[in-house]
């Protein structure tokens, strides 16, 4: 009975947290864009535009769900669902605080990677099933991009696993208890290139989610809207929300692996508030990056991954192994 | 680039061209009148003075002969003005290309009363260190059979200019790789810039 | 780089960079034959905004055609207006007083700066950097305010008349101080643009080496303006065929040798600085006097001949050829717009390019489609 109540509570809370974030991250992005572009954004709907996501949601729900003629109907309908569901599933293993995790897997890291890899499938299905050449081009770009950036992400996550010796996310965070020096990204006794590792991981998580400057998948000015060109109404809404969801997961994940989870940088009063502060700080950095830089070309994108990030991550891996053996 | 050379070559080209065929009985009369008029009208043309003053004296003007005129740039906008036959424009384009000039515009003018089309090519020199040099090459062709060879083999930029001229006026550039509708819709069957076009 | 359709494993497919597209500035349709992401053949299809200005030129009197040129290229409307007015002045032999010439130059150069700023923002928008557009529009708004205080319009100007300008400056002092303040402000912001945008590694990778256009290709197609100057040819109508009051001013023509998109970008950024120099000198030397010529006939009837005038618009050589038959309407008015020739080299230059690079190339050519279609 207790277990049942626990599950229900977690389902409700996670759904509420994820749902609220997905909606209001759009608000954060647009307000941030306004701030960076020296204009005020989002003033109309509600105080500070806070009710804007509700208005957007209403608008999207009221649009006609149009399936293009000759499109592959089952796949077309399935793609947004495949985008959303694994994203929510990953929250099962993310620890927000000591003990505040729905299911504390011993292989929590692997679970997150497994579910996040399904996001690519959604892009591909969406692009293919739309029967639109633009969507197809963008879907193929997105697939190659995702494959390319998955690898350095895994490699750097492995360095953390080697350093901490466990794949249990709660355990990883607990080993970073203490001040900022103990956080993983400054853990130079394990590998002198740990900060580099952190940067590689962060860049890869931005690229995985198809965020600018790596947003070739939805390159607005070239391919209209990329793989979700043919989606209208809530289908498009689901893709957008899934993107924000993966950003959230990426930032939560980075916080857990490298920034110490729910621990305070000064050593006292740890708690969920620190986790949220760090996560939202990373989200703000992602928004900042998006509105500052132009887009890379597809060559630049793939070159960056295969020629620079992967060798760096491999080198880091070997170095970590060496350090661990020696020290 | 030798301007005198360009001028000489154009003059040689113009001298080769035969004047437009006129009915036999009028040839001698017209030639005499033209010969006496050339010296009077040429300096006036250069100053851009109003030729209408002469209207009172004669009802119709004589068509300009094939030849090269040196113009006052400040008054007319070009340095050299050559009138040639329709089939000589490619040779003129070759002269221009060797001299390094570039085609700037191809204009078509519909002279309804004389039943002719005039195709005007504007060339300009885009070479650093040299002063500007603009050459105008004209050709008069028959309105009922408006054929003139294309210069898009010499200057690729003339491709679009000629296509547009065909589209709007109906002047047929023979040998053009793609003489299809350009600015008008693909299914249009009229040439709007003609003077006798009724919408 | 790309194998054509002979091989059974490679197929080309056709895609439309359709008339409605966020990246083509205006209604331009490009029929692309693609091999994966490489372009095999690109064919621009025009005519979606063809309004037949040349026929309008024949149906209206010389003066009634005055509003038309600014509708053709609305971003460089002053230069177009200037070209048309100067052509009729050349044809009819009207002299323009000196103050009017100086005012004309000031307005045209302000317009040029404004056009380049908008190009800068829109070009970056195509490449995915959304923010410089808004910064550039901030500066552009100030120019539009200045021009509105003098001419009354913000975009499509009809300020010049045959023989001068329409109206003198209402308040010369406030216009001078306003313009000088604006120039000082833009001069202080250009280093920021260069630091944030021009030196950005992502932008440099996207522009350097993309879309090389040689000087010979420019000559064959008749490309002018920053496209020609970005390929190493020092040609600018303001210096090579001076008109209006340009001989009185001291300014340079930026020329870059490489011929790629980065060179064209840098040419335009440097031209902003040079235009500001011209404006400053013109403001300092602004003479007194009338702004309209004395005896301009109500019905202009230029002598029967044909005339040609070329000006340097923001995009290149804009020229008009008027064939006059002595009446009060032109017999033929041919309008030669610079983007027409600049775009005609897209077909040859884009063979084998990536789609994203082709779009960056088109952006660097600075296209305004209504002036192609007229």
């Amino acid at each position: 009975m207790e277990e049942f109540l626990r599950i229900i509570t977690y389902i409700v809370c996670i759904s509420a947290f994820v749902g609220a974030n997905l909606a209001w991250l759009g608000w954060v992005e647009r307000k941030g864009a306004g701030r960076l572009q020296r204009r005020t954004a989002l003033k109309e709907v509600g105080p500070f535009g806070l009710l804007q996501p509700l208005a957007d949601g209403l608008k999207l729900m009221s649009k006609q769900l149009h399936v293009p003629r000759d499109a592959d109907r089952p796949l077309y309908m399935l793609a947004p669902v495949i985008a959303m569901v694994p994203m929510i599933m990953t929250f099962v293993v993310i620890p927000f605080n000591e003990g505040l995790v729905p299911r504390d897997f011993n292989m929590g890291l692997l679970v997150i990677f497994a579910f996040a890899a399904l996001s690519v499938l959604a892009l591909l299905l969406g692009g293919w099933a739309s029967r639109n050449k633009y969507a197809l081009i963008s879907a193929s770009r997105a697939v190659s991009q995702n494959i390319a950036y998955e690898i350095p992400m895994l490699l750097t996550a492995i360095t953390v696993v080697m350093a901490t010796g466990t794949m249990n996310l709660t355990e990883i965070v607990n080993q970073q208890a203490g001040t900022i020096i103990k956080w993983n990204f400054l853990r130079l006794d394990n590998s002198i290139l740990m900060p580099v590792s952190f940067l590689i991981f962060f860049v890869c998580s931005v690229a995985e989610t198809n965020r600018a400057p790596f947003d070739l998948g939805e390159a607005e000015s070239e391919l209209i809207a990329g793989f979700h060109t043919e989606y209208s109404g809530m289908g498009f809404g689901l893709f957008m929300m899934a993107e924000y969801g993966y950003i959230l997961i990426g930032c939560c994940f980075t916080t857990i692996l490298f920034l110490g989870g729910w621990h305070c940088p000064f050593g006292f009063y740890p708690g969920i508030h620190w986790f949220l502060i760090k996560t939202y700080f990373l989200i703000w950095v992602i928004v900042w990056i998006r509105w500052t830089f132009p887009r890379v070309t597809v060559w630049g994108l793939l070159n960056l991954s295969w020629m620079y990030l992967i060798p760096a991550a491999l080198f880091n891996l070997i170095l970590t192994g060496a350090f661990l053996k020696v020290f | 680039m030798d301007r005198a050379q360009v001028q000489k070559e154009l003059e040689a080209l113009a001298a080769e061209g035969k004047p437009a065929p006129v009915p036999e009985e009028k040839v001698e009369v017209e030639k005499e009148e033209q010969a006496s008029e050339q010296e009077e009208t040429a300096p006036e043309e250069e100053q851009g003075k109003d030729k209408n003053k002469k209207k009172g004296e004669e009802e119709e003007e004589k068509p300009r002969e094939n030849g090269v005129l040196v113009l006052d740039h400040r008054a007319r906008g070009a340095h050299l003005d050559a009138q040639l036959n329709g089939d000589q424009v490619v040779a003129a384009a070759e002269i221009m290309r060797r001299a390094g000039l570039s085609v700037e515009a191809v204009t078509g003018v519909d002279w309804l009363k004389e039943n002719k089309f005039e195709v005007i090519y504007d060339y300009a020199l885009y070479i650093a260190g040299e002063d500007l040099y603009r050459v105008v090459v004209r050709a008069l062709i028959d309105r009922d059979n408006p054929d003139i060879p294309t210069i898009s083999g010499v200057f690729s930029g003339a491709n679009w200019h000629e296509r547009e001229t065909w589209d709007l006026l109906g002047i047929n550039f023979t040998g053009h790789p793609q003489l299809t509708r350009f600015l008008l819709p693909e299914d249009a069957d009229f040439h709007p810039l003609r003077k006798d076009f009724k919408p | 780089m790309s194998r054509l359709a002979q091989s059974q494993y490679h197929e080309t497919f056709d895609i439309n960079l359709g008339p409605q597209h966020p990246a083509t500035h205006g209604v331009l349709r490009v029929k692309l034959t693609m091999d994966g992401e490489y372009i095999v053949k690109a064919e621009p299809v025009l005519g979606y905004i063809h309004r037949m200005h040349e026929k309008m030129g024949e149906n209206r009197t010389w003066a009634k055609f005055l509003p038309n040129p600014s509708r053709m290229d609305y971003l460089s409307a002053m230069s177009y207006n200037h070209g048309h007015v100067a052509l009729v002045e050349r044809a009819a032999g009207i002299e323009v007083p000196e103050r009017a010439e100086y005012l004309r130059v000031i307005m045209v150069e302000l317009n040029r700066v404004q056009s380049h700023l908008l190009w800068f923002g829109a070009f970056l928008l195509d490449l995915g950097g959304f923010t410089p557009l808004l910064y550039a529009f901030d500066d552009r708004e100030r120019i539009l305010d200045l021009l509105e205080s003098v001419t009354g319009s913000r975009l499509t100007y009809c300020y010049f008349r045959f023989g001068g300008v329409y109206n003198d400056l209402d308040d010369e002092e406030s216009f001078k101080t306003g313009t000088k303040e604006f120039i000082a402000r833009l001069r202080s912001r250009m280093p920021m643009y260069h630091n944030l945008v021009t030196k950005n590694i992502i932008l440099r990778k996207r522009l350097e080496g993309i879309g090389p256009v040689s000087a010979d290709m420019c000559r064959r197609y008749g490309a002018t303006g920053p496209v020609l100057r970005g390929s190493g040819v020092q040609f600018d109508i303001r210096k090579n065929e001076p008109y209006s009051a340009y001989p009185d001013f001291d300014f340079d023509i930026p020329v870059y040798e490489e011929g790629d998109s980065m060179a064209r970008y840098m040419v335009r950024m440097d031209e902003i600085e040079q235009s500001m120099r011209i404006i400053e000198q013109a403001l300092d030397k602004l003479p007194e006097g009338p702004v309209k010529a004395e005896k301009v006939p109500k019905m202009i009837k230029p002598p029967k001949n044909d005339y040609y005038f070329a000006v340097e618009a923001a995009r290149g050589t804009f020229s008009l050829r008027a064939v006059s038959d002595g009446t009060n309407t032109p017999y033929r008015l041919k309008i030669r717009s610079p983007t027409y020739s600049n775009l005609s080299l897209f077909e040859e230059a884009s063979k084998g390019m990536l789609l994203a690079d082709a779009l960056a190339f088109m952006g660097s050519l600075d296209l305004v489609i209504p002036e192609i279609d007229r």
Side-chain angles (χ1 to χ4, degrees):
Chain A
M1 185 61 194
E2 205 183 270
E3 186 65 22
F4 181 66
L5 273 179
R6 199 184 84 99
I7 291 178
I8 295 289
T9 319
Y10 265 116
I11 290 178
V12 169
C13 289
I14 295 284
S15 308
F17 176 71
V18 170
N21 262 312
L22 263 48
W24 269 276
L25 274 181
W27 178 87
V28 166
E29 166 137 39
R30 287 157 74 173
K31 271 297 210 200
R35 170 61 50 128
L36 289 165
Q37 293 168 354
R38 299 178 77 240
R39 58 183 175 94
T40 45
L42 290 191
K43 299 188 326 183
E44 308 278 323
V45 191
F48 298 110
L50 278 171
L51 295 180
Q52 181 73 39
L54 295 179
D56 281 342
L58 271 178
K59 174 198 81 162
L60 286 174
M61 280 194 272
S62 63
K63 288 205 175 179
Q64 178 192 16
L65 282 178
H66 167 76
V67 181
R69 184 177 47 142
D70 296 338
D72 201 335
R73 232 194 140 93
L75 288 182
Y76 183 84
M77 304 290 213
L78 199 58
V81 175
I82 294 189
M84 277 293 271
V85 168
M87 184 263 297
I88 304 185
M89 293 293 292
T90 40
F91 280 95
V92 169
V93 292
I94 291 191
F96 291 90
N97 201 351
E98 181 82 48
L100 199 67
V101 52
R103 194 54 93 199
D104 200 6
F105 278 116
N106 257 337
M107 313 226 300
L109 199 107
L110 203 55
V111 167
I112 296 190
F113 271 116
F115 279 120
L118 283 176
S119 68
V120 158
L121 193 62
L123 300 187
L124 191 55
L125 286 182
W128 167 256
S130 303
R131 200 172 188 268
N132 181 344
K133 284 173 196 159
Y134 285 124
L136 194 58
I137 294 183
S138 103
S140 45
R141 276 182 181 177
V143 166
S144 58
Q145 175 186 334
N146 258 308
I147 296 176
Y149 281 91
E150 192 88 35
I151 300 178
M153 209 160 141
L154 282 168
L155 290 174
T156 41
I158 291 180
T159 55
V160 172
V161 171
M162 285 167 69
T164 53
T166 166
M167 282 213 253
N168 187 340
L169 291 174
T170 322
E171 199 44 48
I172 292 181
V173 176
N174 276 334
Q175 290 200 7
Q176 300 174 58
T179 57
I180 192 170
I181 308 291
K182 296 279 279 172
W183 289 359
N184 267 343
F185 85 106
L186 284 183
R187 210 155 149 181
L188 298 173
D189 53 334
N190 274 329
S191 159
I192 203 154
L193 286 179
M194 227 28 165
V196 173
S197 199
F198 165 59
L199 277 175
I200 295 179
F201 190 83
F202 188 55
V203 166
C204 288
S205 64
V206 169
E208 277 286 301
T209 55
N210 290 336
R211 275 296 278 192
F214 304 111
D215 61 350
L216 268 80
E218 45 178 65
E220 257 172 23
S221 40
E222 297 164 27
L223 300 176
I224 320 284
F227 58 88
H228 52 73
T229 313
E230 292 286 344
Y231 283 89
S232 66
M234 216 49 189
F236 169 72
L238 282 178
F239 270 119
M240 282 291 99
M241 293 204 294
E243 180 180 314
Y244 284 128
Y246 281 113
I247 293 175
L248 184 65
I249 292 175
C251 293
C252 289
F253 202 24
T254 316
T255 317
I256 291 171
L257 286 184
F258 287 98
L259 290 180
W262 58 82
H263 290 291
C264 167
F266 312 110
F268 54 87
Y269 215 46
I272 188 174
H273 45 278
W274 284 112
F275 182 85
L276 291 175
I277 288 176
K278 292 174 207 171
T279 308
Y280 287 118
F281 170 70
L282 285 177
I283 290 182
W284 166 250
V285 171
I286 290 185
V287 169
W288 189 4
I289 294 179
R290 177 191 183 174
W291 296 106
T292 312
F293 291 112
R295 202 177 294 125
V296 292
T297 52
V298 63
W299 273 352
L301 185 79
L302 297 176
N303 271 350
L304 178 68
S305 167
W306 293 100
M307 306 255 297
Y308 299 107
L309 291 183
I310 291 186
L314 279 174
F315 179 68
N316 195 15
L317 190 65
I318 298 177
L319 198 64
T320 312
F323 264 72
L324 283 177
K325 196 71 178 161
V326 171
F327 296 116
Chain B
M1 189 220 67
D2 193 358
R3 295 174 189 212
Q5 165 97 5
V6 170
Q7 188 170 346
K8 250 184 352 188
E9 287 184 15
L10 280 175
E11 280 171 354
L13 199 60
E16 278 173 40
K18 292 192 284 282
V22 284
E24 277 295 318
E25 55 275 6
K26 283 203 189 149
V27 162
E28 283 84 17
V29 177
E30 275 191 338
K31 275 219 164 114
E32 278 180 354
E33 290 183 357
Q34 276 176 17
S36 61
E37 274 185 321
Q38 277 298 73
E39 293 87 35
E40 298 171 35
T41 57
E44 285 191 39
E45 260 190 305
E46 284 195 24
Q47 294 168 27
K49 276 273 169 32
D50 196 345
K51 254 176 102 174
N52 289 341
K53 287 192 199 148
K54 294 198 119 200
K55 263 243 169 90
E57 297 162 22
E58 57 208 307
E59 276 312 305
E60 37 172 290
E61 299 120 27
K62 301 295 168 260
R64 186 183 143 184
E65 272 237 327
N66 283 0
V68 174
L69 284 176
V70 176
L71 299 178
D72 177 15
H73 174 77
R74 292 209 59 84
R76 294 284 303 283
H79 292 100
L80 208 61
D81 186 330
Q83 174 160 322
L84 303 167
N85 270 347
D87 46 358
Q88 295 175 308
V89 289
V90 184
E94 279 287 339
I95 298 175
M96 296 292 128
R97 185 179 66 84
R98 277 198 300 273
L101 281 94
S102 166
V103 65
E104 217 171 55
V106 176
T107 314
V109 187
D110 179 11
W111 295 106
L112 188 60
K113 262 197 338 199
E114 292 95 1
N115 205 29
K116 285 205 181 300
F117 276 130
E118 185 178 7
V119 184
I120 309 179
Y121 298 85
D122 285 295
Y123 295 96
L125 184 67
Y126 301 152
I127 294 185
E130 303 242 4
D131 287 331
L132 180 76
Y133 196 48
R134 286 195 191 272
V135 179
V136 178
V137 171
R138 307 160 188 275
L140 282 169
I141 52 181
D142 194 21
R143 198 169 187 277
D144 304 311
N145 241 350
D147 292 321
I148 187 168
T150 177
I151 66 168
S152 54
V154 184
F155 287 106
S156 334
N159 188 321
W160 278 21
H161 285 123
E162 292 177 346
R163 204 169 150 196
E164 180 198 345
T165 315
W166 174 79
D167 189 10
L168 295 177
L169 273 172
I171 299 177
N172 184 21
F173 291 90
T174 55
H176 194 276
Q178 186 183 13
L179 215 56
T180 52
R181 289 288 169 181
F182 197 41
L183 294 178
L184 294 178
E186 285 93 12
D187 53 353
D189 55 358
F190 47 85
H191 296 289
L193 213 48
R194 292 193 172 191
K195 290 292 176 183
D196 55 355
F197 168 70
K198 294 276 172 291
Chain C
M1 250 208 281
S2 72
R3 297 194 293 265
L4 294 183
Q6 276 96 24
S7 155
Q8 67 180 121
Y9 295 117
H10 256 92
E11 249 180 40
T12 59
F13 65 96
D14 292 320
I15 201 172
N16 246 336
L17 212 58
Q20 290 166 324
H21 192 97
T24 60
H25 302 281
V27 273
L28 168 69
R29 174 175 165 216
V30 185
K31 286 207 275 204
L32 295 167
T33 311
M34 315 259 306
D35 172 22
E37 281 240 16
Y38 290 97
I39 295 180
V40 171
K41 175 165 179 279
E43 184 192 331
V45 176
L46 300 168
Y48 286 91
I49 191 167
H50 177 65
R51 295 150 290 173
M52 201 80 218
H53 277 279
E54 298 184 356
K55 190 79 176 175
M56 282 199 253
E58 294 178 17
N59 288 338
R60 289 166 175 46
T61 64
W62 295 91
K64 280 209 181 133
F65 191 69
L66 273 169
N68 285 44
S70 37
R71 268 73 179 168
M72 283 188 264
D73 178 5
Y74 40 80
L75 292 178
S76 186
M78 283 285 196
S79 311
Y80 275 53
N81 205 355
H82 193 178
H84 172 240
V85 158
L87 172 78
V88 177
E89 286 163 3
R90 172 174 273 177
I94 303 174
E95 285 283 329
V96 182
E98 213 187 347
R99 186 179 167 86
E101 293 281 25
Y102 273 67
L103 281 176
R104 280 184 181 181
V105 167
I106 295 174
M107 301 306 152
V108 166
E109 292 304 318
L110 276 174
N111 200 15
R112 191 188 309 272
V113 173
Q114 169 263 126
S115 166
H116 283 330
L117 281 173
L118 188 142
W119 161 82
F120 170 69
F123 186 40
L124 264 294
L125 188 67
D126 286 351
L127 298 177
F130 307 95
T131 315
L133 178 73
L134 291 135
Y135 280 70
F137 265 62
D138 187 0
D139 294 319
R140 188 173 169 255
E141 277 299 310
R142 288 158 207 266
I143 302 185
L144 292 183
D145 287 339
L146 286 170
L147 285 172
E148 189 186 4
S149 69
V150 176
T151 69
S153 1
R154 274 164 61 95
L155 193 68
T156 51
Y157 305 100
C158 191
Y159 180 50
F160 303 156
R161 298 284 186 272
F162 304 137
V165 297
Y166 167 57
N167 223 348
D168 201 348
L169 300 171
D170 281 341
D171 186 351
E172 186 168 330
E173 280 316 308
S174 83
F175 178 75
K176 274 192 184 175
T177 38
T179 313
K180 292 212 164 133
E181 264 173 29
F182 161 73
I183 290 183
R185 183 168 190 273
L186 186 58
R187 277 225 174 100
S188 72
R189 275 162 76 93
M190 290 304 282
M192 173 183 77
Y193 289 141
H194 280 293
N195 277 335
L196 278 180
V197 181
T198 315
K199 297 189 186 162
N200 188 328
I201 180 81
I202 298 182
L203 188 81
R204 291 230 316 271
K205 286 228 145 108
R206 271 206 86 162
L207 292 185
E208 279 172 1
I210 302 300
V213 173
S214 63
D216 182 63
M217 196 191 262
C218 286
R219 200 186 44 81
R220 269 189 296 125
Y221 284 94
T224 52
V227 177
L228 186 65
R229 292 196 278 281
S231 300
V233 180
Q234 183 159 13
F235 180 78
D236 187 327
I237 303 273
R238 295 174 290 173
K239 284 270 192 198
N240 291 50
E241 190 186 7
Y243 57 99
S244 183
Y246 284 107
D248 297 344
F249 303 123
D250 170 39
F251 59 102
D252 302 315
I253 308 292
V255 174
Y256 283 79
E257 298 289 332
E258 299 90 16
D260 57 6
S261 302
M262 196 66 187
R264 294 188 277 276
Y265 172 92
M266 288 308 295
V267 164
R268 292 196 184 96
M269 298 301 271
D270 289 348
E271 274 186 9
I272 297 181
E273 173 59 40
Q274 297 302 322
S275 290
M276 289 200 287
R277 272 176 74 184
I278 301 180
I279 300 173
E280 279 184 327
Q281 293 172 40
L283 282 175
D284 290 333
K285 295 194 216 167
L286 191 63
E288 300 291 330
V291 291
K292 286 193 197 171
E294 299 249 320
K295 287 185 238 155
V296 178
K298 278 256 172 352
M299 271 301 179
I300 297 207
K301 294 193 188 169
K304 185 182 162 75
N305 223 326
D306 56 345
Y307 308 92
Y308 193 77
F309 198 90
V311 297
E312 180 79 15
R315 280 155 199 87
T317 308
F318 168 65
S319 60
L320 289 142
R321 166 170 285 281
V323 177
S324 154
D325 57 351
T327 60
N328 59 358
T329 57
Y331 192 77
R332 171 87 167 98
L333 197 60
K334 158 81 181 175
I335 304 159
R336 184 255 181 205
S337 68
T339 317
Y340 193 80
S341 308
N342 287 358
L343 185 59
S344 57
L345 55 76
F346 181 68
E347 208 166 328
E348 185 181 321
S350 66
K351 284 194 165 43
M353 260 198 213
L354 281 176
L355 178 61
D357 289 344
L359 284 160
F361 176 56
M362 273 209 309
S364 76
L365 289 179
D366 196 359
L367 303 175
V368 172
I369 310 299
E371 75 165 332
I372 305 185
D373 289 351
R374 274 159 282 137

